[in-house]
Amino acid sequence: MQRRSIKPFRAILLLGLGLGLGATAALARDAALLERGKYLMNGVVACGNCHIARGEQGQPLFEKGLSGGMVFDEPVFKAVAPNITPDPETGIGKWTDAQLAKAIREGVRPDKSIIGPPMPIEMYRHISDQDLAALIAYLRDQPPMRNAVAKSTYAMPLPPSYGPALASVAAPSVKDKVKTGEYLARIGHCMECHTPRSPQGRLEMDKLGAGGQTFKGPWGESVARNLSSHANGLKDWTDAQISKAIRDGVDRQGKPYKPPMGYGFYRSIKDEDMAALIAYLRSLSPMP
Ligand code: HEC
Ligand code: HEC
């Protein structure tokens, strides 16, 4: 009778301990996910650069969070950034995680309608599963804000889809600096602005990073610069100068750049991510 089975109370104790450890691990995982979500949102991904609430003059209303209202007035559309706080009536409070994931990464709403530009879905198709979960964890953690915004209108056909449904997207290996930089530049949609567009509004991918798009707004006009390794681009720039331009929004003479690039967000990009971004920019073929 020495090798008796575990006494019931011990079994319960062990079971409880096991569940406790499991729950602790899950909490730690949730906390890490939220941490990553905060880092991406307040950094390179910067959804807030478009979705932050805006006042009458287009000024950001940070206290109203991501409750939308920014207007993008273009010849072929007048888009309005929606409220993406968890308010059930005017925001995304009723959407499931899967529905949010499909909206962000594939541009399809729960009612199957297509999300139009300038939301950079082509770029967001590259968001890894883990980072998508992190962004959703962040959105869910925000206070709900009631703010009904106008609907966008498009005088152009929206694509039937941005591509086939995505089952899973892997993040690049952290050991590959250029690939990591490319990934960050995609989820930060740098090239959405820094690549020229055809008259039909399509990005000219063979001129990736060559700059040239014009942005009009309360700031007047700004033109996206050439980020390629050409002399007209970043060839003669040091890493420190590039990083300062992205984080502080100033040129090599210290003169401030104009919006709409989200310098205020990019300030919090970590050094290793900045180094990867710069390595990627240096890998772009030179373009005049
Ligand atoms: C360049 C500006 C821009 C950026 C950056 C951007 N969005 Fe959007 N987003 C928009 C606009 C404009 C719409 C509405 C388009 C339309 O009406 O079809 C939209 C639509 C949405 C919708 C659909 C909401 C609804 O109620 O229909 C969600 C969800 C969303 N964005 C989430 C995000 C997240 C998360 C990020 C960051 C990963 C992000 N957006 C980045 C401009 C942007
Ligand atoms: C919403 C559009 C937009 C996005 C997104 C954007 N940029 Fe920019 N960027 C601009 C504009 C416009 C300028 C020039 C501003 C001016 O001249 O006042 C600029 C300037 C720069 C410069 C200065 C280069 C020079 O030659 O002076 C660098 C470097 C740069 N961007 C890198 C990036 C990187 C890296 C990302 C992504 C993390 C990014 N940009 C995202 C629009 C954008």
Side-chain angles (χ1 to χ4, degrees), residues 43-45 49-50 184-194 213-215 219 221-227 232-234 237 241-243 245-246 249-252 255-263 266 269 274 277-278 281:
V44 73
V45 173
N49 203 31
C50 291
L184 294 170
R186 278 172 165 165
I187 68 175
H189 71 104
C190 314
M191 295 306 152
E192 184 90 12
C193 291
H194 283 279
Q213 279 190 58
T214 303
F215 299 90
W219 57 86
E221 213 175 88
S222 62
V223 181
R225 310 282 176 120
N226 185 334
L227 301 185
N232 291 342
L234 301 176
W237 290 53
Q241 288 170 332
I242 299 176
S243 141
I246 298 170
V250 295
D251 70 12
R252 287 184 290 180
K255 191 172 155 263
Y257 292 118
K258 292 175 187 165
M261 183 164 151
Y263 317 100
Y266 298 155
I269 296 176
M274 183 57 78
L277 262 174
I278 293 172
L281 294 178

Side-chain angles (χ1 to χ4, degrees), residues 90-102:
T90 61
I92 49 83
K94 286 182 185 154
W95 299 21
T96 64
D97 284 3
Q99 288 173 333
L100 265 175
K102 195 142 181 91

Side-chain angles (χ1 to χ4, degrees), residues 112-135:
K112 304 277 184 283
S113 62
I114 297 290
I115 297 174
M119 173 122 168
I121 306 290
E122 293 93 338
M123 305 283 157
Y124 289 168
R125 283 180 67 82
H126 298 280
I127 300 176
S128 74
D129 297 346
Q130 190 72 10
D131 282 349
L132 188 58
L135 292 172

Side-chain angles (χ1 to χ4, degrees), residues 42-43 246-249 262-270 274:
N42 297 321
I246 298 170
R247 284 188 175 134
D248 297 348
Y263 317 100
F265 292 92
Y266 298 155
R267 185 155 299 150
S268 44
I269 296 176
K270 288 185 214 154
M274 183 57 78

Side-chain angles (χ1 to χ4, degrees), residues 51 79-82 84 92 95 99-122 124 152 154 156 158-162:
H51 284 279
V80 189
I84 56 169
I92 49 83
W95 299 21
Q99 288 173 333
L100 265 175
K102 195 142 181 91
I104 300 168
R105 196 158 70 179
E106 295 175 42
V108 182
R109 293 190 189 84
D111 67 3
K112 304 277 184 283
S113 62
I114 297 290
I115 297 174
M119 173 122 168
I121 306 290
E122 293 93 338
Y124 289 168
S152 310
Y154 294 91
M156 55 181 257
L158 292 182
S161 83
Y162 293 95

Side-chain angles (χ1 to χ4, degrees), residues 69-74 76-82 116-119 150-154:
M70 186 172 185
V71 177
F72 303 85
D73 207 350
E74 298 285 330
V76 283
F77 60 79
K78 186 169 179 178
V80 189
M119 173 122 168
K151 278 208 175 321
S152 310
T153 49
Y154 294 91

